[in-house]
Amino acid sequence: MGQDITDSRFKPSDFAEFQRRLEHETDHLARLFAEDGLAAGPRELGVELETYLIDRHGAPADAIESVLAALDDPLVVPELARFNLELNTAPRRLHGNAFSTLGAELDARLARCRQAAAADGARVVAIGILPTLRPDHLVLARMTERERFHALNEQIFSLRGDLPIRVNISGEEQVQLLQPNVMLEAAATAFQIHLKMAAAESARYYNAAKILSAPMVAVGANSPLLFGRELWAESRIPLFEQAVSVGGPALRERFGFGVRYAKGSVMDCFRANVSRYPVLLPELSESPPEALTHLCLHNGTIWRWNRPLIGFEPDGRPHLRLEHRVLSAGPSVADNLANTAFFIGVLHGLAIAEQPPEDRLRFWQAKRNFYRAAQHGLRARLVWRDGAEVPVARLIEDELVPLAREGLTRLGIDRDEVRHWLDIIATRARLGRTGSAWQCAWVARHGPRWEELTLAYLANQECGRPVHEWTLD
């Protein structure tokens, strides 16, 4: 959900003073990069899973406050809508059976959320876009009562001159509408991967994550439907980018793929935060500049698909993380962990390659690949290696799964662990059975029966099997 705030009423002087402190903290962070002052230490991994709360008919259920109260778990936090919930995991060292351990933690936390939701007559489902969702669900009355969310809505529409957000997504079908608030962001839930990295390697990892985003979104697609229309294999991508549009120059849009690779380090991103993006939440803190409070709050209002973050060690020292945001929630915990293992393995393999992959794939090609993959899923063709075009499913099977295996082995992941998770990815790519493909196949067989689709999806999800093993019954 990002860093919460205590007040949503701001004065012009608040924006000016926040900007001054933001610039000061950004200069401090630049010195930490230059002087190797960011904490290093063991490589660590964590994930976030965003979910829907639904009623017995599969429609959104406004149960967030009772579920949070019943859980009393700091790793389960509110999201924008009263029918969304975010589950987090503790950071874990990347070695041995890290992914299975992470999956067990996520499964256990999800089970507790399901139990808490059931006491309120609700269920929990992890899916990119809920098939039963309607535009009338996305109103301010269903926004979670947190100052941060109300302030974001007010400030984004202030930048827009109070003009409504225009959504226009064309795929197999088309959705067009005008939205008078930011609640469309609640329509799409994500699975996000966090990796701790060193400043010196950050440009290589960041650039590799951008290049890898296209295969990731293709193999992990799970949001083909919006308001009863079939759009893209991963409709979350255009929906998110349009849902929080501030209008004006493209360089000021706060959600997107970016404009270039990083050079030297990801400090470029933090500099761009100051120069390109107006402050949205100017809550002032009396924390010292070393706490980077204003920098972190501002960075949390810029939603890059691959976003560098500042975290903190137990002793308070800052460290650097990469957040990979392209994946939908679901279809199952097993699928999410397989996606995580695949991403980490290929990312490491690309980042340590003797020749940087960004030298062989221009940025505009990586960007075009990303949107092609979001639109067509595993049927996409991508430009790869010096301009050659290949089917993404074959690329995953023939090149990226072996690269992931090598990368995970180098990171000290157990052999059986590597085989288990990457076999899921290889089989999904070979069969073409993503969450999006399953949803579209279900509709082709049974028709546009959105409640039944949602409940059938949830029944398969609760069984825990990866999506390539799901049936259409």
Side-chain angles (χ1 to χ4, degrees):
M1 63 167 283
Q3 184 179 334
D4 205 1
I5 60 176
T6 59
D7 196 351
S8 59
R9 295 164 296 182
F10 305 118
K11 304 184 295 294
S13 59
D14 294 329
F15 287 90
E17 178 60 18
F18 189 99
Q19 181 72 25
R20 187 189 69 79
R21 297 185 191 187
L22 173 62
E23 292 172 2
H24 185 50
E25 291 176 10
T26 302
D27 289 340
H28 176 72
L29 181 63
R31 289 192 294 272
L32 292 178
F33 269 87
E35 299 167 4
D36 198 22
L38 290 164
R43 201 177 300 279
E44 293 179 334
L45 171 72
V47 299
E48 303 175 29
L49 176 66
E50 298 169 355
T51 67
Y52 278 92
L53 294 164
I54 60 172
D55 62 21
R56 61 189 179 90
H57 300 295
D62 293 0
I64 187 171
E65 299 300 347
S66 59
V67 171
L68 289 173
L71 288 168
D72 191 24
D73 182 346
L75 293 181
V76 180
V77 298
E79 266 291 347
L80 178 63
R82 296 182 182 187
F83 48 78
N84 292 142
L85 202 62
E86 180 186 299
L87 290 67
N88 295 270
T89 63
R92 295 187 178 275
R93 287 191 63 179
L94 258 177
H95 66 87
N97 65 343
F99 300 102
S100 293
T101 305
L102 198 66
E105 180 187 350
L106 195 57
D107 262 327
R109 185 156 287 115
L110 186 56
R112 290 195 295 274
C113 290
R114 286 172 174 155
Q115 185 177 16
D120 202 42
R123 302 177 72 182
V124 180
V125 60
I127 189 169
I129 300 175
L130 191 67
T132 56
L133 189 74
R134 304 189 307 267
D136 57 87
H137 291 131
L138 302 172
V139 294
L140 286 181
R142 304 188 81 162
M143 181 180 282
T144 305
E145 285 300 323
R146 300 293 187 278
E147 292 286 353
R148 174 185 176 86
F149 302 135
H150 290 281
L152 281 173
N153 185 70
E154 292 169 10
Q155 295 304 319
I156 285 174
F157 276 85
S158 176
L159 289 176
R160 295 184 57 81
D162 290 325
L163 293 174
I165 291 169
R166 183 178 299 274
V167 173
N168 184 1
I169 306 172
S170 296
E172 295 297 320
E173 300 176 271
Q174 186 175 32
V175 165
Q176 291 181 303
L177 76 155
L178 295 176
Q179 179 73 14
N181 54 57
V182 298
M183 285 293 286
L184 269 169
E185 188 181 344
T189 57
F191 177 79
Q192 297 163 7
I193 303 169
H194 290 245
L195 177 68
K196 183 179 172 183
M197 60 183 177
E201 66 187 7
S202 61
R204 290 291 306 270
Y205 273 86
Y206 182 70
N207 295 341
K210 283 183 175 287
I211 290 168
L212 184 52
S213 292
M216 289 302 302
V217 82
V219 80
N222 193 34
S223 59
L225 305 166
L226 176 64
F227 305 146
R229 306 288 178 86
E230 183 181 342
L231 301 175
W232 293 16
E234 189 57 25
S235 304
R236 278 181 56 256
I237 301 302
L239 179 60
F240 255 136
E241 292 190 355
Q242 296 179 35
V244 291
S245 171
V246 298
L251 283 177
R252 285 199 164 191
E253 290 294 5
R254 305 175 87 95
F255 214 132
F257 191 78
V259 296
R260 63 179 67 87
Y261 291 127
K263 299 291 186 183
S265 78
V266 295
M267 188 62 217
D268 294 351
C269 296
F270 295 102
R271 290 288 192 198
N273 287 358
V274 177
S275 62
R276 281 173 39 196
Y277 302 107
V279 172
L280 289 183
L281 303 178
E283 178 164 274
L284 300 174
S285 169
E286 296 309 314
S287 301
E290 294 76 16
L292 302 175
T293 305
H294 303 86
L295 180 148
C296 291
L297 178 57
H298 184 58
N299 190 50
T301 67
I302 301 160
W303 300 278
R304 297 175 174 94
W305 290 116
N306 293 282
R307 179 167 65 174
L309 299 175
I310 299 298
F312 293 89
E313 299 291 298
D315 64 4
R317 289 183 303 155
H319 66 245
L320 192 60
R321 295 204 310 269
L322 173 67
E323 181 185 37
H324 186 63
R325 304 169 53 85
V326 310
L327 293 167
S328 273
S332 68
V333 170
D335 286 304
N336 287 145
L337 267 296
N339 293 341
T340 304
F342 179 62
F343 173 72
I344 295 297
V346 180
L347 182 76
H348 188 64
L350 292 175
I352 65 172
E354 183 175 350
Q355 182 179 14
E358 56 266 40
D359 289 351
R360 304 183 64 181
L361 186 71
R362 294 181 179 180
F363 181 83
W364 67 265
Q365 293 173 318
K367 186 172 185 176
R368 187 177 65 179
N369 280 347
F370 177 64
Y371 292 104
R372 279 184 177 178
Q375 188 161 11
H376 301 294
L378 285 173
R379 295 182 289 108
R381 295 180 64 87
L382 307 182
V383 174
W384 201 257
R385 289 190 182 280
D386 304 320
E389 191 173 275
V390 295
V392 65
R394 193 176 76 199
L395 172 67
I396 290 167
E397 274 197 272
D398 294 351
E399 182 173 337
L400 299 186
V401 167
L403 182 59
R405 185 175 295 112
E406 179 182 345
L408 293 174
T409 301
R410 285 176 174 268
L411 288 168
I413 304 298
D414 292 344
R415 181 178 301 178
D416 289 346
E417 179 90 342
V418 173
R419 181 173 61 250
H420 172 73
W421 296 112
L422 295 186
D423 280 355
I424 293 174
I425 297 295
T427 305
R428 197 193 305 158
R430 185 173 70 253
L431 299 177
R433 293 180 185 168
T434 62
S436 282
W438 183 89
Q439 291 179 60
C440 292
W442 194 99
V443 173
R445 174 173 292 191
H446 300 284
R449 294 149 64 176
W450 309 123
E451 176 182 338
E452 293 180 36
L453 167 61
T454 300
L455 297 179
Y457 175 100
L458 181 55
N460 277 294
Q461 182 175 95
E462 290 179 339
C463 288
R465 297 187 305 270
V467 71
H468 70 264
E469 298 178 6
W470 290 13
T471 68
L472 297 174
D473 298 336

